[in-house]
Amino acid sequence: MRRLVSALLLSAFLLVGGLASPAAAHPMSTSAVLLDIRDDRVEGEVQLPVDRLAIAVDRDLTPAGVLGEDRSFLKRYTAQHISAVGEDGTPWTVGLGTGSVRTIDGTAHLVYPLTIRPPDGRVTDFRLRYDVIVEELLTHKVIATVRYDFDRGILKTDDAETLGVLDWDTKSLRVPVDEGSWLKGFVTTAGLGIEHVGEGADHLLFLLMLLIPAPLVATAGRWRTGVAGDAGDSSPRRSLVRVVHVVSAFALGHSLTLALAASGVIHVPSRPVETLIAFSIAVSAVHAIRPLVARGEVLIAAGFGLVHGLAFASLIGDLGLDRGSLVTTLLGFNLGIELTQLLVVALIMPSLLVLSRTTVYPAFRIAVAVIGLVFSVSWMLERAKLTAGDPFEGAQTWLVGHPLLVAGAVATLAVAARLRRGVPCSVAGK
């Protein structure tokens, strides 16, 4: 076990050390549309990650090439996928300025100035249709933010709000002209936090790896199912207390670095952060197989929660969401994260508690932990660019896309194992 942990630590050191280049690409690159509402026009910009854009247009794009031989094609492609119409259905004029390349958190972005003009010269509520990149990439996200010109000519930078998220399913958003509201931005950002975790296989798998050993106690280097009142009490009440500790430790960890990174106090390139997230899953999977240290899941949740917070912050910091009230944005995003975590706990923990009292649990725990370990190693290799892709991506996408089926399958297994009245061994891991 010590050799395995040492090997994992060495691998993480080598991967992170080799990936700390500022030119590293973010594996979860996301587009942004920033809008400024004025009396007679809407101004802003479009930020397109070059790596995702290359996949969408099926071309081998480079930061130099997008301003060279591909300049005309890319501007024409982008313009064809952005439109705006007034509430009466009248088309508005959409214009793109001269493109430039900007590095955002180590990722090259093609940036276009954007101008939207109503036909009568008076900005009213309108609908923005946008499917650049997302018309080809199912998993791509576009974050739209808006600032309102409340002082008629003086743009107030602290009045920005999150307008919404565009993706494969949602390719248009209503843009209100007079409804700047911190509450709306708060709700939208909370939804973004829910979506970011709910659709992030790595974050969900990390949480699952920490929950698996929660119903057990570590004794003599092995997982043990205890009896209420014993020194190694693993009663349901104590198990729930451990779950609260795990979730709270993770929340404290990611909240701290999320606030520091989003406010610009600390900055870490995305690729080493994403690699460390994969490594955190590997460590938690090994801990689920054989305890690394007593109450290790709480320590792992707190320590690697700091890393996950940096990943959450990249979504905010890279896309200009902190142009408005940073406190509102952070609170909303954090609320979304915590609600998703609580939902995962509510869906899966009752079944784990039942299963942990049966003879099925040791095999179930080890099997799920091994799957988590395999997925995490695959992610580390992909994010290190040592492999061209993730061979398990299809399975991961399916699992994340069908949470109720997964939870139902685990619940069915728990009921079936309980009906067999299997009595757990005192030591739940060999």
Side-chain angles (χ1 to χ4, degrees):
M1 180 59 62
R2 289 181 179 177
R3 291 180 179 178
L4 178 58
V5 175
S6 299
L8 285 170
L9 288 171
L10 178 60
S11 299
F13 175 79
L14 293 175
L15 287 170
V16 174
L19 295 170
S21 167
H26 195 305
M28 298 294 288
S29 297
T30 310
S31 299
V33 178
L34 314 179
L35 302 177
D36 293 332
I37 307 296
R38 298 183 181 273
D39 285 339
D40 60 344
R41 68 194 183 279
V42 178
E43 296 180 343
E45 68 178 31
V46 177
Q47 301 174 357
L48 307 172
V50 175
D51 58 346
R52 305 295 94 178
L53 184 60
I55 298 174
V57 300
D58 194 22
R59 290 197 179 193
D60 187 14
L61 301 179
T62 64
V66 298
L67 299 181
E69 63 271 19
D70 295 309
R71 177 194 296 265
S72 299
F73 165 76
L74 292 175
K75 186 172 183 178
R76 187 166 58 252
Y77 163 79
T78 303
Q80 290 172 348
H81 291 273
I82 304 176
S83 62
V85 296
E87 290 202 317
D88 59 357
T90 303
W92 290 18
T93 302
V94 177
L96 295 178
T98 302
S100 62
V101 173
R102 186 186 309 164
T103 300
I104 302 175
D105 192 33
T107 301
H109 283 65
L110 177 59
V111 180
Y112 289 111
L114 174 68
T115 302
I116 303 174
R117 295 182 181 275
D120 59 0
R122 185 173 67 89
V123 175
T124 57
D125 295 354
F126 69 97
R127 181 161 290 275
L128 174 70
R129 179 173 176 79
Y130 183 103
D131 63 352
V132 184
I133 299 180
V134 297
E135 50 97 19
E136 288 291 339
L137 267 66
L138 295 175
T139 58
H140 196 68
K141 303 293 180 184
V142 182
I143 314 300
T145 63
V146 60
R147 293 187 296 183
Y148 292 92
D149 187 8
F150 287 111
D151 287 349
R152 302 302 180 191
I154 302 177
L155 193 64
K156 298 173 63 178
T157 58
D158 60 345
D159 286 318
E161 68 177 54
T162 306
L163 184 64
V165 179
L166 295 154
D167 55 22
W168 173 264
D169 295 318
T170 304
K171 296 180 180 177
S172 68
L173 290 173
R174 178 178 176 272
V175 183
V177 68
D178 289 321
E179 297 182 12
S181 166
W182 70 267
L183 179 59
K184 181 179 178 182
F186 177 85
V187 173
T188 303
T189 308
L192 180 60
I194 292 174
E195 190 171 28
H196 188 60
V197 177
E199 296 183 356
D202 49 1
H203 296 299
L204 291 175
L205 189 57
F206 178 68
L207 181 59
L208 178 60
M209 292 298 102
L210 296 177
L211 293 179
I212 289 176
L216 309 173
V217 291
T219 304
R222 294 186 177 185
W223 289 116
R224 176 179 182 271
T225 56
V227 179
D230 287 352
D233 182 4
S234 63
S235 63
R237 180 177 178 276
R238 290 293 297 273
S239 297
L240 290 175
V241 169
R242 280 193 289 274
V243 170
V244 171
H245 289 168
V246 168
V247 174
S248 300
F250 183 69
L252 288 174
H254 77 67
S255 297
L256 175 61
T257 48
L258 173 59
L260 292 176
S263 59
V265 176
I266 58 176
H267 176 79
V268 179
S270 296
R271 186 165 291 278
V273 170
E274 295 292 337
T275 304
L276 280 174
I277 287 177
F279 176 65
S280 72
I281 300 169
V283 172
S284 58
V286 171
H287 179 69
I289 295 172
R290 186 68 64 86
L292 301 177
V293 63
R295 298 183 61 79
E297 59 275 12
V298 176
L299 298 176
I300 294 171
F304 285 113
L306 298 172
V307 178
H308 286 246
L310 293 174
F312 296 146
S314 68
L315 187 61
I316 295 178
D318 292 357
L319 303 176
L321 300 185
D322 57 346
R323 297 192 315 167
S325 173
L326 183 60
V327 173
T328 300
T329 299
L330 290 175
L331 288 176
F333 196 69
N334 248 333
L335 176 64
I337 293 172
E338 304 313 326
L339 287 176
T340 307
Q341 289 185 165
L342 292 176
L343 179 60
V344 172
V345 172
L347 282 174
I348 201 71
M349 203 59 214
S351 299
L352 296 184
L353 289 172
V354 173
L355 272 174
S356 67
R357 264 61 187 175
T358 71
T359 55
V360 173
Y361 200 60
F364 171 83
R365 170 176 54 83
I366 293 175
V368 174
V370 169
I371 291 174
L373 185 59
V374 171
F375 282 179
S376 64
V377 171
S378 180
W379 278 323
M380 282 193 285
L381 293 175
E382 180 192 22
R383 294 169 185 183
K385 293 189 175 180
L386 298 177
T387 57
D390 182 4
F392 306 104
E393 183 176 1
Q396 296 157 6
T397 301
W398 189 92
L399 290 172
V400 173
H402 300 82
L404 295 181
L405 286 178
V406 174
V410 177
T412 300
L413 177 62
V415 171
R418 186 68 175 178
L419 291 177
R420 289 185 60 188
R421 300 183 181 276
V423 180
C425 302
S426 61
V427 175
K430 299 299 183 182

